[in-house]
Every structure is written in C-alpha cells, then in structure tokens.
Amino acid sequence: MARLFAGTSGWSYPSWKPDFYPAKLPSKKFLEYYATRLNSVELNVTFRRFATASMQQGWIAVTPADFCFTVKAHQNITHVLRLRNAEEFTRSFLGSLQPMAEAGKLGTVLFQLPPFLKCDTVLLADFLKILPRAARPAFEFRHPSWFSDEVYQQLQDAGAALCIAESEKLEVPEVVTADFTYFRLRKPEYSPAERKEIVEKVGGHLAAGRDVYVYFKHEETPEGARYAEELLKTVQT
C-alpha cells in the first residue's frame, strides 16, 4: 500500500515555540516531539557533513518505527565533483547512511544539482549506474536544460524520481519517473485553494500506488510544519 511521508526541511527551530513546539520543550526533545505530529523530515545537515552513526542512532531512538528520514546528498557529490568521478565519494556517503537504512528509516536520497550545471546526459547516465535502486534517488535539477524526454527516460530506467521543486526562477514539469514522487514545496504560505490542490495531487499519486514524499520549507514560523500535518490528516481521513 502506498504511503505519504510529509514534513519539513529540518526540525531545529526554536522560533516554532509556542505555536508548534511547547514553550518549555528543550531543544534536545524537538525531534522526538516533531515525530509525534509528522512522519518524515528532510535532512539538510548531510549536505555539508556525514551524519555519524551515533547521530543516526540518536534520531532512530526517538522516532517511531514508521518515521523516515530523507537525506540531501553531500555537496561534494553535487556541487564540487558535479557528479563527475564521484563514485568513490558517493559510495562512502551512501555507506554512511547504513544505520538509518538498517532501521528501515531511510526514505530517499536527494541529489540537488547547482543551478549552473547544465544538462549532460552522458554524465547523468554514468552517475546513475553507481546508484542502487534501494537508495530511492531523487534529482532536483535547477537548470531548465535538464527537462527533456531523454533525461526523464534515464531517470525512469534507473528508478530515480524527478523532484518537483518550486522555484521563483524555474518551473519543474510534473513528470513521474519512479514508483515514488518527491515534492519540495518552497512557498512560505499556501492558500486553502493551493493546499486543496496539493491534497488532490498527492491523492492521485497514492491511488496510482506511488509513495509520496512532501517537504515544506522551514521558516521562522512553523507554517510549513502545520501544512504538512494538515496534509497528513486530510489524506489519512
């Protein structure tokens, strides 16, 4: 049965008190509380450094069995090496996620490419070869040259998802390339009509048997967390 995983990009935001986190909740309890209301989070910390085994074990221990972590791939893969000659580092990075994978709490791995990296289908093909399908890779392309049928077919053949990410500068086609769908919703606010549209889109993917990952942007206010919670409640009822 397809599942919806919804949350925000991170959880360590004291400014969410008292509207989301209780006023007296210590920061070390944020994730534990977050996981009582949402069932997934996008980890951005992994973009800059590996998550140690002890860090992961701590996260695993305070979250329910059905909670999952989506991981942003390290910047060395996407922004420094730019996917080229990245096999060794990528294998090390994916290997470092074993604690979450073994606990059944690793959702997807997001490869967010820099906006200056233009389409290179040979480069993408070579990189996709080194990615295990079990990693559920998703790609956020930020240059319009990537949006082509050839790229979509490459992703589909590798079981990788095209990340549907909102941007003021770019419109990403909502093309399905995998057995799961990944949305990065970046607006600080969504109207009731926009939230209804999100519910309908998510429902369509779930009905088609695809797991759906939805992450709202973190802000100084907890609106993203509230939207994610509303989405979970609406889809599950």
Side-chain angles (χ1 to χ4, degrees):
M1 181 177 177
R3 292 196 57 198
L4 166 62
F5 297 95
T8 58
S9 300
W11 70 81
S12 302
Y13 309 113
S15 60
W16 287 9
K17 293 182 180 182
D19 294 330
F20 184 81
Y21 292 130
K24 296 183 179 180
L25 187 73
S27 59
K28 65 181 179 180
K29 293 285 188 178
F30 279 5
L31 177 58
E32 183 175 358
Y33 180 84
Y34 174 105
T36 66
R37 298 176 64 171
L38 303 171
N39 67 352
S40 188
V41 70
E42 183 185 75
L43 291 173
N44 285 315
V45 63
T46 50
F47 181 70
R48 304 194 183 284
R49 60 191 177 104
F50 282 25
T52 65
S54 61
M55 287 171 64
Q56 294 178 57
Q57 292 295 351
W59 299 334
I60 291 166
V62 299
T63 53
D66 60 352
F67 190 92
C68 85
F69 298 88
T70 279
V71 176
K72 185 183 287 189
H74 197 283
Q75 62 183 338
N76 200 46
I77 300 170
T78 55
H79 288 60
V80 179
L81 297 173
R82 303 173 193 172
L83 307 186
R84 195 178 303 278
N85 300 320
E87 180 172 1
E88 182 177 350
F89 193 93
T90 301
R91 292 192 187 282
S92 294
F93 176 76
L94 294 177
S96 75
L97 305 177
Q98 274 305 110
M100 285 188 289
E102 291 175 357
K105 291 189 175 186
L106 182 60
T108 79
V109 178
L110 175 67
F111 295 88
Q112 183 190 63
L113 301 188
F116 55 78
L117 185 61
K118 297 180 180 180
C119 180
D120 184 332
T121 54
V122 174
L123 177 65
L124 180 62
D126 289 342
F127 185 72
L128 287 170
K129 289 176 184 176
I130 70 175
L131 296 180
R133 283 179 178 261
R136 280 198 153 181
F139 285 78
E140 182 180 350
F141 299 119
R142 294 192 287 171
H143 191 280
S145 60
W146 290 97
F147 302 134
S148 70
D149 290 341
E150 183 178 0
V151 170
Y152 304 149
Q153 188 62 56
Q154 286 181 295
L155 295 178
Q156 184 173 326
D157 291 344
L162 173 67
C163 175
I164 312 301
E166 291 178 334
S167 167
E168 295 179 357
K169 300 180 180 179
L170 197 65
E171 184 173 347
V172 179
E174 294 194 19
V175 178
V176 175
T177 62
D179 61 357
F180 67 99
T181 310
Y182 194 122
F183 290 92
R184 298 189 86 226
L185 304 179
R186 306 288 90 187
K187 294 180 184 179
E189 294 183 12
Y190 288 87
S191 69
E194 289 173 322
R195 301 203 300 275
K196 181 180 179 182
E197 183 179 353
I198 293 168
V199 168
E200 291 172 351
K201 286 182 180 180
V202 168
H205 288 295
L206 293 172
R210 290 185 286 270
D211 288 343
V212 184
Y213 298 83
V214 179
Y215 299 102
F216 289 89
K217 186 178 182 180
H218 60 82
E219 291 288 341
E220 289 304 308
T221 65
E223 290 309 303
R226 288 174 167 175
Y227 293 147
E229 185 175 36
E230 178 187 66
L231 178 61
L232 284 166
K233 289 180 177 178
T234 303
V235 170
Q236 291 172 353
T237 56

